[in-house]
Amino acid sequence: MERKGDKITILDATCRDGMHAVAHQFTPEQVGRIAAALEKAGPDYMEVSHGDGLGGSSITYGRGAASDGRWLAAARRELKNTRLSSMLLPGIGTMDDLRLAADEGVEMVRITVHCTEADITAQHIALTRELSMKPIGVLMMTHMVGPEKLLEQGRILADNGAEAVYLMDSAGHLLPDGVRARVSLLAQKLPIEVGFHAHANLDMHIANSIAALEEGASYLDGTLKGLGAGAGNAPIEVLAAVMTMYGYESNLDLYAIEDAADDVLRPMLGANLPNIDKVALTIGYAGVYSSFSLHAKRAAANYGVDARDIMMECGRRKVVGGQEDIIIEVAAQLAEQKKSEGERL
Amino acid sequence: MTKAKAAIIGSGNIGMDLMYKVLKNSHLEMSLLAGLSNDSPRLARARAMGIPTSDRGIEAIVENPDCCDIVFDATTAKAHAEHAKVLKKLGKKAIDLTPAGVGAWVVPAFNLEENLDRDNINLISCGGQAVIPIIGAIQKVVPVEYAEAVAANSSKSVGPGTRANIDEYTQHTREGMMKVGGVKSAKAVIVINPADPPIVMHNTIFCVTEKLDEELAREITASIEDMLTIIQSYVPGYRLTAPPQFAFDRRQVTTMIEVEGAGDYLPDYAGNLDIITQAAVHVAAEMAKRA
């Protein structure tokens, strides 16, 4: 459905996608402080969970500093006008996690799948609704398929009961034309609203977000300081300013969201501030899942190989989010290869 | 040598792949493929190959109980809960490929011998068949405190039954890791990969052991290699993609495997079908040999 009017619904994902950038180590106390700052700044939703969604804490994706329940409770206490939301990836989280989210006062859940897998969401969307939470469908890695395929998948999400469909550029690989083609078709043809979630790996995040709005998107994601996987997401404070310049409206207060970014979040980050470093740039270039970044840097250090070689190989194998385990495999194989080449010389 | 007569209920990906494997097995006779729709191109394909088919599901066996000795159930967990009772009454051996978990939970490489005389055998899940033997191989050397398994399957190989109930897969696999693999706590994850050409089924198993040093690492590697030989005797496409990886500071063993299918029904990438259908046929053949 094309957006009616110029009012944009804004979701802040600092305490979900941002978790990737801090290896899921935000404490409940930090989540509470971020929530309090966001409540003053006015995003419509604040998304909270492990970076890989509810139930993501694991060896594969990284252990969280706290449970989803404790993070959600910490945010809940501070929120009044901003609504608490969360994310679930079927296959990683389960329906028990949805029940936990409902108990913690979550009002909206994004049921999230890779771009061709919409038909694994039926039970999770139905349960989200049954628990009186608003279900939204999300398609990830949307650069991997074209607009027609995404439309087909968006229809499945709508049929399953999703109230909106988000397209995520999980690899930060799309250029503005690619965003336009995808968002415009879905906005024109789907019976429900469309959202967009950008990554900054090729520095296209703001341009892509605006392109999505110009093509009829109703929802937009951002994070404070752009904190997120890979080179991060669209900085919500920058979105607030640029959206206004383009004539769009939102509930964001520019000064308050800048304060949240610089005075509340920034001091928590130390050296963790996202930037387009060589690994993130390779992720965007090769079309790999952004949250692989930290995992690849760690494996590169452990195995004495270049993180960019790991990412290029993951891109060649068309690995998707959730397959963080492959990074270790590729690193081990590259190290073995390097060793045998060394022996030959 | 007389062959055991085998019927298959369910004509989805799993049922069809099973059919081709039963046909190739010298201890089994493919006696019936029962689906639910006569229009199904899959049943037509079986008929064209001269295999008796029915569109009446389990009713076909109730009406003609002599058609088979062993019944493979490749329907759904919910359906198998009912089928199990019917098959027990008829005195048929049931090999259950759904996550129903009614009968004995079996991974052939690991605990088949002691369960061969059971009337209902549950094969847990494709992921369970792939990862539990590895957990078992490590447990032989040192107790495993926590095991975590990530299965990546190609989109094309994951059928509508699994898709409609993905939690059933993760929960049943996790329970299998604890119940059969013997670990105290576990987590199972499934990732469906949209890439085209499709990826080969891949599993990573993380095990946190009670203790870990160089000596134990050598024993674990040897134990995993022994286990590989056993699994490969019935799933030839099962292989390690890298040697087991050890992180001594975290007492963590990482084992990465890949299963290339035999290409019987779906192409080679669909190792997730093969690992469970090969296990099922292996169980049935062992039953037939014993009878």
Side-chain angles (χ1 to χ4, degrees):
Chain A
M1 186 194 294
E2 289 199 56
R3 185 186 63 250
K4 292 180 186 67
D6 290 325
K7 183 81 180 278
I8 314 299
T9 303
I10 300 288
L11 181 146
D12 179 279
T14 308
C15 292
R16 203 283 303 163
D17 208 320
M19 286 283 188
H20 288 298
V22 297
H24 320 282
Q25 294 304 302
F26 276 142
T27 62
E29 188 267 331
Q30 288 175 314
V31 168
R33 275 197 283 147
I34 295 166
L38 289 173
E39 172 63 28
K40 282 186 204 152
D44 301 277
Y45 293 96
M46 175 189 184
E47 187 170 72
V48 177
S49 73
H50 185 279
D52 295 84
L54 296 165
S57 182
S58 55
I59 293 176
T60 317
Y61 308 121
R63 293 277 186 205
S67 65
D68 293 313
R70 288 189 57 213
W71 280 327
L72 288 169
R76 172 75 280 162
R77 276 194 291 278
E78 306 296 336
L79 298 180
K80 207 171 111 220
N81 292 311
T82 292
R83 280 163 284 182
L84 182 62
S85 71
S86 196
M87 173 179 267
L88 181 115
L89 281 66
I92 295 178
T94 66
M95 289 187 276
D96 285 340
D97 295 307
L98 290 175
R99 294 184 186 99
L100 173 139
D103 287 346
E104 295 296 346
V106 167
E107 295 183 61
M108 178 173 97
V109 182
R110 298 202 290 180
I111 306 296
T112 303
V113 296
H114 286 299
C115 53
T116 56
E117 310 306 317
D119 61 355
I120 66 172
T121 61
Q123 284 181 327
H124 303 85
I125 290 176
L127 180 62
T128 300
R129 184 178 293 286
E130 202 182 303
L131 293 167
S132 302
M133 300 183 288
K134 176 175 171 168
I136 301 276
V138 176
L139 299 171
M140 296 188 288
M141 297 292 273
T142 49
H143 73 278
M144 287 178 86
V145 294
E148 293 291 341
K149 185 72 183 176
L150 293 173
L151 177 62
E152 166 208 298
Q153 295 292 307
R155 286 199 168 115
I156 296 172
L157 291 171
D159 289 347
N160 283 350
E163 293 186 18
V165 171
Y166 254 92
L167 300 182
M168 288 195 170
D169 179 20
S170 314
H173 180 77
L174 285 174
L175 304 176
D177 285 351
V179 175
R180 286 183 189 283
R182 287 165 174 77
V183 172
S184 63
L185 186 69
L186 271 70
Q188 282 164 30
K189 299 278 175 72
L190 283 182
I192 53 179
E193 292 179 311
V194 177
F196 183 73
H197 169 103
H199 275 275
N201 303 330
L202 297 178
D203 216 9
M204 292 288 150
H205 45 308
I206 297 291
N208 282 347
S209 300
I210 296 300
L213 295 185
E214 287 180 335
E215 299 300 333
S218 307
Y219 289 75
L220 213 51
D221 280 10
T223 61
L224 296 169
K225 302 300 293 175
L227 191 74
N233 301 106
I236 191 169
E237 62 281 9
V238 180
L239 279 180
V242 175
M243 276 169 46
T244 308
M245 291 168 72
Y246 271 92
Y248 297 109
E249 293 165 29
S250 75
N251 289 327
L252 289 174
D253 178 279
L254 184 57
Y255 273 17
I257 199 78
E258 288 167 351
D259 290 344
D262 277 13
D263 304 340
V264 179
L265 182 72
R266 181 68 190 90
M268 296 180 191
L269 296 179
N272 278 329
L273 208 60
N275 71 94
I276 306 174
D277 62 20
K278 56 191 179 182
V279 178
L281 178 52
T282 309
I283 283 173
Y285 181 68
V288 182
Y289 200 59
S290 292
S291 60
F292 283 10
S293 173
L294 278 189
H295 295 272
K297 286 176 186 168
R298 212 174 295 140
N302 284 345
Y303 287 91
V305 296
D306 191 324
R308 289 173 293 187
D309 289 337
I310 303 177
M311 292 296 85
M312 289 305 286
E313 177 61 16
C314 285
R316 197 189 60 74
R317 293 192 193 182
K318 298 200 171 155
V319 167
V320 296
Q323 294 186 272
E324 276 76 347
D325 55 314
I326 301 293
I327 293 166
I328 307 169
E329 176 173 307
V330 170
Q333 288 167 346
L334 288 173
E336 191 55 38
Q337 207 177 313
K338 204 168 147 186
K339 201 175 118 201
S340 60
E341 275 163 16
E343 279 162 8
R344 268 206 309 277
L345 296 171
Chain B
M1 186 188 67
T2 54
K3 291 183 172 189
K5 288 192 281 185
I8 298 169
I9 334 175
S11 56
N13 286 344
I14 296 267
M16 293 302 284
D17 196 61
L18 256 177
M19 181 184 85
Y20 286 97
K21 289 187 167 62
V22 170
L23 286 170
K24 284 199 279 189
N25 193 285
S26 59
H27 300 282
L28 303 174
E29 180 191 329
M30 182 61 222
S31 66
L32 173 73
L33 175 68
L36 286 175
S37 161
N38 227 347
D39 299 335
S40 152
R42 296 168 177 206
L43 289 186
R45 186 159 162 181
R47 273 195 301 277
M49 292 166 72
I51 293 162
T53 65
S54 165
D55 62 351
R56 302 185 27 81
I58 184 123
E59 288 306 313
I61 295 169
V62 175
E63 284 160 14
N64 179 19
D66 292 337
C67 75
C68 60
D69 311 303
I70 297 171
V71 177
F72 295 102
D73 193 337
T75 58
T76 63
K78 205 172 156 194
H80 184 72
E82 292 307 312
H83 295 169
K85 295 175 208 158
V86 176
L87 294 172
K88 192 175 168 71
K89 210 183 270 175
L90 293 173
K92 303 297 173 198
K93 288 271 198 184
I95 300 176
D96 170 24
L97 292 89
T98 78
V102 184
W105 298 32
V106 168
V107 178
F110 198 58
N111 66 345
L112 177 58
E113 205 46 44
E114 64 257 42
N115 287 302
L116 256 186
D117 53 356
R118 301 286 292 268
D119 55 19
N120 188 316
I121 285 184
N122 176 253
L123 293 173
I124 308 171
S125 67
C126 54
Q129 290 297 327
V131 307
I132 293 168
I134 298 294
I135 298 170
I138 298 172
Q139 289 264 45
K140 278 186 187 165
V141 179
V142 59
V144 175
E145 289 176 350
Y146 170 77
E148 184 175 305
V150 185
N153 298 327
S154 69
S155 186
K156 285 188 176 168
S157 70
V158 180
T162 309
R163 288 173 177 278
N165 205 335
I166 201 114
D167 276 24
E168 220 168 47
Y169 168 89
T170 49
Q171 279 161 354
H172 196 58
T173 303
R174 173 173 174 268
E175 276 174 46
M177 290 160 73
M178 297 197 286
K179 199 165 155 176
V180 184
V183 294
K184 289 177 216 120
S185 69
K187 183 175 177 72
V189 167
I190 181 170
V191 180
I192 305 178
N193 180 306
D196 198 17
I199 61 155
V200 172
M201 186 220 197
H202 188 283
N203 293 268
T204 296
I205 307 107
F206 298 99
C207 287
V208 177
T209 56
E210 224 173 73
K211 52 187 182 194
L212 192 61
D213 56 30
E214 297 276 359
E215 175 63 29
L216 286 169
R218 272 191 297 276
E219 286 177 39
I220 287 170
T221 303
S223 180
I224 289 174
E225 276 163 12
D226 290 346
M227 186 59 80
L228 275 183
T229 314
I230 302 173
I231 304 170
Q232 284 165 347
S233 72
Y234 64 94
V235 190
Y238 188 103
R239 58 177 177 249
L240 296 185
T241 55
Q245 307 285 309
F246 299 94
F248 296 108
D249 55 334
R250 283 168 281 150
R251 292 174 281 119
Q252 187 179 309
V253 185
T254 306
T255 314
M256 293 165 289
I257 60 139
E258 175 171 279
V259 186
E260 190 175 321
D264 288 321
Y265 177 61
L266 287 186
D268 298 353
Y269 59 76
N272 46 319
L273 296 188
D274 277 70
I275 187 135
I276 193 162
T277 56
Q278 301 270 33
V281 169
H282 180 69
V283 171
E286 291 302 312
M287 283 174 171
K289 280 192 232 168
R290 188 173 277 201

